[in-house]
Amino acid sequence: MSNKEKLIASAQKNLLKGQVTKAIKDYQRVVELDPKDIRNRQKLADLFVRAKMLKEAQEHYEAVARYFSENGFFLKAIAVYKQMQRLDPSRIDIYHRLAELNARQGLVGNSLAEYKSLVNHYEKLGLLPEAVNVLQKMKDVDPENLNIRVKIAETYARAGMQDKGKAEFLDILKALKAKRDPAKILKLFEIFQPLFPEDMEIRIGQARALIDAGDAAKGVDRLKKLLVAQPANPDLLRHLAAGLHRLGDFEGERAACKNLLELVPGDAHIREGYLRACLKAQNPEEALEKLELWREDFVAAKRIDLLKDLYEKLHEALPREPRVVKGLKSLYQTLGEGDKLLDIMAFSGDASLVDSLADEDGERHPPLPSADTAEFLQLGEDSKEELLGEEPDQIEDLPLEFLMDEPAPAEPVREEPRIREPLVDEDLELDLEFDGEIFAETVPMAATKISGEDDAFDGDSGELELIELPELLSGEPAFVEDLAESESVPTPEEGGADFFADELPDLEFDLEPQPESLSASSSAAGGATSVPLSEVDRARLDGDLHRFKKVLESQIDEGDAETHFNLGIAFKEMGLLDDAVAEFDQAMKNLARRLDSLALKGICLAEKGDLDGAEEAFKSALLLPDIAESDLCNLYFELGLLHEKRRQAKEALGYFERVAVQDPSFREVSQVIRKLRRELGIGGGDDKGRVSYL
Amino acid sequence: MSYLEHFEFAREPFSNAPDARFYFDSEQHLQAQRRLRFAVDSNKGLAVVVGGIGTGKTTLARRMLDQLGEDRYQSSLLIMVHSGVTPEWLLSHIALQMGVASPAADRLVILRQLYERLLEIDAQGRRAVILIDEAQMLQTRELMEEFRGLLNLEIPGRKLLNILFFGLPELEDNLRLDPPLAQRVAVRCQITPFTAQNTATYIWHRLQVAGGRRMVFDDDAIAAVHQYSRGVPRLINTLCDNCLFDAALLDRKQIDEQIVIQAAQALDLSGDDSAPLDDVDLDRGLEQIESMLDRLEMKL
């Protein structure tokens, strides 16, 4: 037997006698003899922990972790570093290493959780540049995560780097606008406005966000206050007009647009808004005056459809107004809408023309553009062709005499007023066009989302995309003294709970300084920033979480599950049960690993003393389809052990007997059954009773 | 240092102590179990399992007992440890095992008591089974007649008691002491030593159950184990256990043929030839094995 073996044997003996210090000395000599013996070095570190010699333990764990890391055993390295972190939660370098290793292993959630702890730590110390550096790393790990970007922007601003902060903020705003998420945009402004209190752009943006998110009165109120300071700010007026429109204050909207036009007189969108506001405010005369004035510009801007719409609306308000009828006639002629042309002519009493438009078959054809029309439109040749398309050639080929032979059918004309009755949702269409055109540079909202204030909140689908990392939300405690808390990696459910508890985009970050220093639990502080939710919001978010889970479930692939599963086993072996449970929770999102993960999760929970949780895990596993006989035995056996721990012998016996039915030799179940039967006083349960010697 | 640590085993893989975890379902053991179960479930009355020393009869008997759950069976394993048992003693003991609280002294009364108890068991929808290991020790005609009498306890349509004999091949001679009993053997199973393939599978099975993650015996070593053990599980265990110990002493992680040969020689298993057991005279082979086991027990 070599020296090394003798030493190990000696250590074993010493351990059996409970002489840890002597065993440590043995293992120290083993490590001295063979410094590359990682396995025994790890044992030595474990023994140092048992002897409460944490500094020495850390030193050897460090060597082991480094070895694993350098040789590509990242999961093992993670498990060892996690153990080191548990022993000394104040070691910054371990958080860095864990974050990097997890990222390298593709465990994005875990990596971000470690980084987040660092951010909280640096923030508490006021080391904002360091915090930003860590945040940038987080961004590298998960570039799509807007939460991180929010935090980066916020940290820049708080560190006095206003320009950088605002640039990041505007980027995020752009992304949120693309996601069409007014509620999130509003929350974003709520975070950033206090950081940029004098920034008019942000203040206006926040007011506009209020309007888009459904609180138009508040938004308008703020805009009006801002207007006092900057009465000639076109942006202010533009958003004010939108807010007033949303409130149904069309007269106010008209006035705002009028003021705006004085600042930007040629803006086609504002002109359109103004005209529509006039119409809505029951002031069609003013609308007609201005429309006649701007008509050529609209034509030049190829807004014939807009012209048609406005003239039609004016026709409803001013049915006998010759300028409106004239305008409509020429528009219909230009657009080739013969039916409507006849209707408007009939409506205006021009019956001869109506007759002349009908052919023998009763079909009506659009007339040639008259000189009148050309004059009205004042189009150049190119524009005419563009507007009329191929129609002019066809129209020119039609024999005029033929058109004049047949009397025009009267019925369609009589039907026209009914057809032209205002549609119920005409206002809605108007609103949509208004918003879509004038405020195109802001939030491009879908038509159905603008119909009411409440709807603005319904456009929340982006929320789930924004919150992509539930692990991050629950906040792994940073640098805590309470080891039990510090080692826990949140489960998806836990993450979901925090996700509920905070509506801000920056959900998981602690915005307020922590009262505790390194020993503070960030998860608790995270909860303090949360905003109470209404029942409606909670129900909505419940649905979101469900979808979120579905998305997650569909996203995790086999490789990820395998990684989480292996890491779970590594944590379990290191005794880091909370971490192990979190990893098994991740792994079970893949069906292929669900059964094993549930079983191992149950075992971990049972080891932790969470017998109810363990039972739930085992029973969930039993519900899975197509369980192999051996797995069934394993689950029943574990349930039996669980009930034994609870001193529920009868229930335990039931489970063990189920195992025995499948496989009497499984994990010595027969002996266990005999023992229990003996305890319960059930006859025949003892081999001594069933086996005898003669 | 224990070889457990050297090979990273959780427990000894080749201990000869009974351990249900190590139960190895070879094809013939599986077949035997099925046939015995069939015999019991269809109330065939008498079934016999014969096999050489160390071939796993006792393990099989234990396994059967485990499988006969008490909800459906009133079962008992009787292990014969000497051959001087009287018919009365045997009957009284069987009655006790079947749940007769106080067997009477009189043989006829015991039979009556046993019959009534068997009726009770039958009424419960259960089957009564007596397993007798080392049944070759039942060497008298009287004993055989007693068993025949027990097999006659029946009600119209079915027998009330099933008896399973497990023993060495000479058990067949004992049965022939009472020809009517021999005629009543409904199921007969013979357990033979492992084939070379079975030996390899068996070794791997036990290594795995012990927590081993790799096959520490190379191919030649397994062939040598089979040759020296002649496929007898108990000898395989002894030889492999010694090989592991020797390899650990030599600080070797893999066991080769040379280690097996040296261990076999140390155990005096080398014998006079290397022919497999199947090819030699059965009686002579049994004698050889028995003497080997005796020697081993003395050494251990």
Side-chain angles (χ1 to χ4, degrees):
Chain A
M1 189 183 288
S2 68
N3 275 348
K4 184 179 164 184
E5 285 161 355
K6 284 177 187 168
L7 286 166
I8 292 171
S10 165
Q12 299 294 342
K13 280 181 190 169
N14 285 323
L15 280 176
L16 285 173
K17 292 178 199 167
Q19 294 172 330
V20 177
T21 312
K22 284 186 179 177
I24 285 176
K25 282 179 184 166
D26 289 330
Y27 271 113
Q28 275 178 316
R29 290 179 61 194
V30 169
V31 172
E32 280 167 19
L33 282 171
D34 185 2
K36 290 182 180 173
D37 186 342
I38 293 302
R39 198 159 158 260
N40 283 315
R41 189 181 282 269
Q42 191 172 338
K43 280 186 183 172
L44 176 60
D46 291 340
L47 288 175
F48 275 128
V49 174
R50 279 177 65 177
K52 300 192 187 308
M53 298 164 73
L54 300 187
K55 189 183 168 193
E56 290 80 358
Q58 290 272 9
E59 188 185 313
H60 288 285
Y61 275 136
E62 180 91 58
V64 174
R66 205 181 308 119
Y67 171 84
F68 284 144
S69 180
E70 285 168 0
N71 289 280
F73 301 114
F74 298 126
L75 291 177
K76 286 187 174 181
I78 289 170
V80 175
Y81 275 121
K82 205 72 190 165
Q83 171 75 331
M84 293 172 69
Q85 188 183 53
R86 193 176 72 151
L87 293 173
D88 184 2
S90 67
R91 280 190 60 177
I92 303 297
D93 57 327
I94 295 177
Y95 288 81
H96 276 290
R97 294 293 297 134
L98 276 170
E100 286 164 9
L101 284 168
N102 274 300
R104 195 181 292 189
Q105 194 64 33
L107 298 165
V108 173
N110 290 1
S111 174
L112 293 180
E114 300 295 343
Y115 277 134
K116 186 194 160 231
S117 297
L118 281 170
V119 171
N120 285 342
H121 170 65
Y122 287 131
E123 275 194 333
K124 282 169 208 157
L125 295 180
L127 301 171
L128 296 181
E130 283 80 357
V132 169
N133 283 341
V134 176
L135 285 164
Q136 291 290 3
K137 286 183 182 177
M138 292 174 80
K139 190 177 169 183
D140 292 342
V141 171
D142 189 4
E144 300 301 314
N145 191 321
L146 289 184
N147 289 323
I148 296 168
R149 295 172 62 184
V150 167
K151 190 66 186 170
I152 289 173
E154 186 207 353
T155 310
Y156 272 135
R158 290 173 62 189
M161 293 181 266
Q162 303 290 329
D163 292 345
K164 281 189 172 182
K166 189 172 174 185
E168 288 280 353
F169 162 73
L170 292 175
D171 271 353
I172 301 160
L173 188 63
K174 198 173 168 186
L176 281 178
K177 282 180 178 174
K179 287 174 187 287
R180 304 184 180 191
D181 191 342
K184 280 279 175 265
I185 289 169
L186 178 58
K187 287 165 192 166
L188 189 70
F189 276 108
E190 282 170 356
I191 291 171
F192 281 94
Q193 200 279 325
L195 296 169
F196 302 92
E198 302 304 321
D199 191 303
M200 185 57 82
E201 185 184 359
I202 289 181
R203 294 175 75 178
I204 295 172
Q206 186 180 19
R208 175 59 199 236
L210 279 166
I211 293 166
D212 291 335
D215 197 350
K218 199 170 176 181
V220 166
D221 188 50
R222 288 198 184 180
L223 289 170
K224 282 179 178 172
K225 285 176 184 166
L226 293 172
L227 203 60
V228 175
Q230 294 190 357
N233 185 326
D235 278 343
L236 263 175
L237 287 167
R238 195 192 315 270
H239 295 309
L240 180 64
L244 292 167
H245 177 86
R246 197 69 53 84
L247 287 173
D249 180 0
F250 302 113
E251 183 52 42
E253 180 192 9
R254 189 194 66 79
C257 287
K258 193 172 181 182
N259 290 339
L260 194 53
L261 281 171
E262 286 173 11
L263 298 170
V264 276
D267 190 304
H269 292 307
I270 298 169
R271 282 178 175 179
E272 181 189 348
Y274 174 71
L275 293 172
R276 291 188 186 281
C278 287
L279 286 167
K280 283 271 188 185
Q282 308 298 325
N283 194 348
E285 292 80 6
E286 188 175 337
L288 180 59
E289 290 299 323
K290 294 295 180 186
L291 183 58
E292 292 283 298
L293 194 64
W294 297 332
R295 183 182 60 206
E296 295 165 22
D297 294 337
F298 281 125
V299 171
K302 301 175 184 173
R303 301 294 309 276
I304 302 301
D305 285 340
L306 173 65
L307 278 174
K308 180 185 147 193
D309 182 52
L310 291 170
Y311 271 109
E312 281 179 345
K313 284 190 167 56
L314 280 168
H315 184 54
E316 287 165 19
L318 306 167
R320 296 291 166 191
E321 169 58 55
R323 286 177 295 174
V324 175
V325 172
K326 183 182 174 190
L328 275 177
K329 276 184 190 172
S330 59
L331 276 167
Y332 289 149
Q333 281 181 327
T334 303
L335 293 169
E337 296 184 19
D339 287 351
K340 288 188 176 179
L341 177 60
L342 291 175
D343 291 342
I344 194 69
M345 291 175 79
F347 187 82
S348 60
D350 193 354
S352 61
L353 184 56
V354 173
D355 293 343
S356 73
L357 289 172
D359 61 16
E360 286 177 342
D361 302 324
E363 288 186 24
R364 295 182 303 184
H365 302 278
L368 285 167
S370 65
D372 225 12
T373 307
E375 184 187 348
F376 166 73
L377 291 172
Q378 295 183 340
L379 297 175
E381 285 305 309
D382 291 347
S383 301
K384 280 187 210 169
E385 283 175 15
E386 198 171 323
L387 288 169
L388 297 173
E390 295 177 355
E391 288 298 313
D393 288 343
Q394 293 172 7
I395 292 168
E396 281 174 8
D397 289 344
L398 289 171
L400 186 61
E401 299 79 7
F402 178 76
L403 287 172
M404 294 171 70
D405 284 346
E406 285 292 324
E411 284 184 9
V413 177
R414 282 197 298 272
E415 283 179 359
E416 179 60 13
R418 186 152 50 90
I419 294 167
R420 288 300 313 147
E421 280 174 10
L423 299 172
V424 174
D425 59 348
E426 199 162 88
D427 284 350
L428 173 63
E429 288 176 6
L430 186 66
D431 288 350
L432 296 178
E433 287 184 10
F434 180 87
D435 282 350
E437 295 298 331
I438 289 188
F439 301 110
E441 78 282 11
T442 58
V443 185
M445 297 175 74
T448 52
K449 305 263 173 77
I450 310 176
S451 58
E453 289 183 5
D454 289 340
D455 290 348
F457 285 104
D458 288 337
D460 210 12
S461 60
E463 187 164 22
L464 292 181
E465 295 167 42
L466 182 64
I467 312 303
E468 292 174 27
L469 292 166
E471 304 95 316
L472 196 59
L473 306 180
S474 69
E476 182 171 304
F479 315 102
V480 294
E481 286 174 357
D482 182 344
L483 298 184
E485 282 185 31
S486 72
E487 74 185 35
S488 66
V489 173
T491 63
E493 287 77 15
E494 287 166 345
D498 278 6
F499 170 64
F500 287 148
D502 200 332
E503 281 191 303
L504 299 178
D506 182 18
L507 295 174
E508 69 277 30
F509 291 108
D510 305 331
L511 300 179
E512 298 300 323
Q514 298 302 306
E516 300 86 353
S517 57
L518 290 184
S519 63
S521 165
S522 64
S523 62
T529 62
S530 62
V531 178
L533 291 178
S534 69
E535 286 298 313
V536 175
D537 284 345
R538 188 168 293 280
R540 176 170 55 83
L541 289 170
D542 275 337
D544 284 347
L545 182 74
H546 180 71
R547 279 186 283 126
F548 169 70
K549 283 181 174 174
K550 287 273 182 195
V551 169
L552 262 188
E553 200 156 322
S554 64
Q555 279 177 350
I556 187 164
D557 65 25
E558 205 170 319
D560 290 340
E562 206 56 30
T563 305
H564 284 296
F565 184 76
N566 290 332
L567 187 56
I569 289 173
F571 281 144
K572 183 175 175 290
E573 285 173 1
M574 293 291 291
L576 303 170
L577 298 175
D578 288 328
D579 298 301
V581 167
E583 294 305 327
F584 291 134
D585 277 335
Q586 290 292 325
M588 75 178 65
K589 286 168 192 162
N590 186 290
L591 193 60
R593 271 292 178 205
R594 188 163 297 169
L595 179 68
D596 290 340
S597 299
L598 276 168
L600 284 164
K601 178 186 175 180
I603 290 169
C604 288
L605 291 173
E607 274 185 47
K608 282 179 62 188
D610 180 3
L611 302 187
D612 291 342
E615 184 175 1
E616 190 185 336
F618 293 136
K619 287 187 172 172
S620 300
L622 280 173
L623 294 174
L624 296 175
D626 304 327
I627 305 183
E629 192 177 287
S630 58
D631 291 323
L632 210 56
C633 286
N634 188 44
L635 292 169
Y636 283 142
F637 197 90
E638 291 296 341
L639 280 164
L641 292 177
L642 214 59
H643 285 287
E644 261 199 312
K645 277 190 180 178
R646 287 179 174 151
R647 299 182 182 281
Q648 296 171 329
K650 197 175 172 186
E651 288 81 357
L653 179 63
Y655 282 114
F656 288 132
E657 284 180 338
R658 286 194 206 182
V659 177
V661 167
Q662 304 278 342
D663 181 359
S665 64
F666 187 87
R667 291 166 70 176
E668 298 173 311
V669 71
S670 299
Q671 291 174 31
V672 178
I673 288 173
R674 277 179 222 118
K675 184 179 81 88
L676 281 173
R677 281 180 165 272
R678 204 163 47 236
E679 283 174 17
L680 290 165
I682 300 173
D686 197 332
D687 238 8
K688 286 176 187 168
R690 293 176 75 201
V691 179
S692 60
Y693 296 85
L694 259 181
Chain B
M1 183 181 69
S2 160
Y3 74 67
L4 292 185
E5 191 168 338
H6 180 79
F7 286 104
E8 299 181 10
F9 293 136
R11 57 188 73 87
E12 288 184 23
F14 295 106
S15 166
N16 269 321
D19 188 336
R21 284 177 299 198
F22 285 100
Y23 182 79
F24 176 65
D25 248 340
S26 74
E27 185 55 32
Q28 64 169 343
H29 281 80
L30 196 63
Q31 288 293 341
Q33 277 183 69
R34 286 178 185 156
R35 297 180 71 190
L36 294 174
R37 192 67 179 264
F38 165 74
V40 170
D41 287 343
S42 48
N43 277 325
K44 293 291 182 191
L46 181 61
V48 174
V49 178
V50 292
I53 297 164
T55 49
K57 298 182 299 297
T58 299
T59 308
L60 183 61
R62 291 271 183 177
R63 178 79 166 179
M64 279 303 299
L65 185 68
D66 281 343
Q67 289 194 346
L68 300 175
E70 291 175 49
D71 53 338
R72 292 178 57 200
Y73 304 92
Q74 174 78 39
S75 58
S76 178
L77 172 62
L78 203 60
I79 301 168
M80 307 308 297
V81 290
H82 67 90
S83 53
V85 182
T86 64
E88 290 76 16
W89 195 359
L90 178 74
L91 189 60
S92 173
H93 205 86
I94 289 174
L96 204 63
Q97 292 299 101
M98 286 296 102
V100 175
S102 305
D106 184 79
R107 181 175 168 273
L108 289 177
V109 178
I110 298 175
L111 272 176
R112 185 71 208 171
Q113 287 175 317
L114 182 59
Y115 181 69
E116 284 171 2
R117 172 63 188 148
L118 292 175
L119 285 175
E120 274 178 26
I121 294 167
D122 183 72
Q124 290 166 357
R126 301 194 303 151
R127 300 191 195 292
V129 189
I130 288 286
L131 301 93
I132 298 180
D133 195 16
E134 307 290 2
Q136 74 279 357
M137 289 195 180
L138 303 166
Q139 292 169 348
T140 65
R141 186 163 160 258
E142 289 76 19
L143 286 170
M144 292 296 110
E145 284 176 350
E146 197 62 60
F147 280 112
R148 178 157 54 88
L150 290 174
L151 288 171
N152 284 335
L153 296 174
E154 55 191 21
I155 54 174
R158 61 181 177 274
K159 294 184 180 303
L160 291 173
L161 181 64
N162 292 283
I163 299 170
L164 309 182
F165 283 141
F166 297 81
L168 293 169
E170 50 262 43
L171 170 61
E172 308 265 28
D173 298 333
N174 298 353
L175 289 170
R176 281 193 286 270
L177 291 171
D178 183 42
L181 179 67
Q183 286 178 7
R184 282 176 165 76
V185 175
V187 170
R188 184 178 177 281
C189 309
Q190 181 154 13
I191 307 295
T192 57
F194 288 154
T195 61
Q197 178 63 40
N198 275 344
T199 298
T201 312
Y202 175 77
I203 290 171
W204 178 224
H205 166 75
R206 294 197 70 121
L207 288 173
Q208 283 181 304
V209 173
R213 292 173 188 172
R214 62 189 184 87
M215 184 54 158
V216 296
F217 290 82
D218 65 27
D219 290 346
D220 290 341
I222 289 173
V225 168
H226 181 70
Q227 177 187 321
Y228 287 110
S229 67
R230 293 171 172 79
V232 175
R234 199 183 301 165
L235 288 180
I236 294 172
N237 289 347
T238 306
L239 184 53
C240 287
D241 187 57
N242 277 267
C243 289
L244 290 171
F245 182 75
D246 292 346
L249 285 181
L250 296 167
D251 196 20
R252 303 265 287 276
K253 294 288 186 188
Q254 196 70 15
I255 294 163
D256 58 18
E257 185 183 26
Q258 196 55 39
I259 292 177
V260 179
I261 291 169
Q262 283 171 358
Q265 284 171 346
L267 290 166
D268 207 8
L269 288 178
S270 52
D272 53 1
D273 61 54
S274 59
L277 186 65
D278 292 346
D279 296 343
V280 300
D281 176 73
L282 186 61
D283 290 337
R284 189 163 157 258
L286 290 173
E287 281 170 22
Q288 284 175 348
I289 292 169
E290 203 149 11
S291 70
M292 280 178 205
L293 291 169
D294 288 344
R295 287 199 303 274
L296 286 172
E297 280 168 16
M298 286 174 72
K299 285 181 183 179
L300 295 171

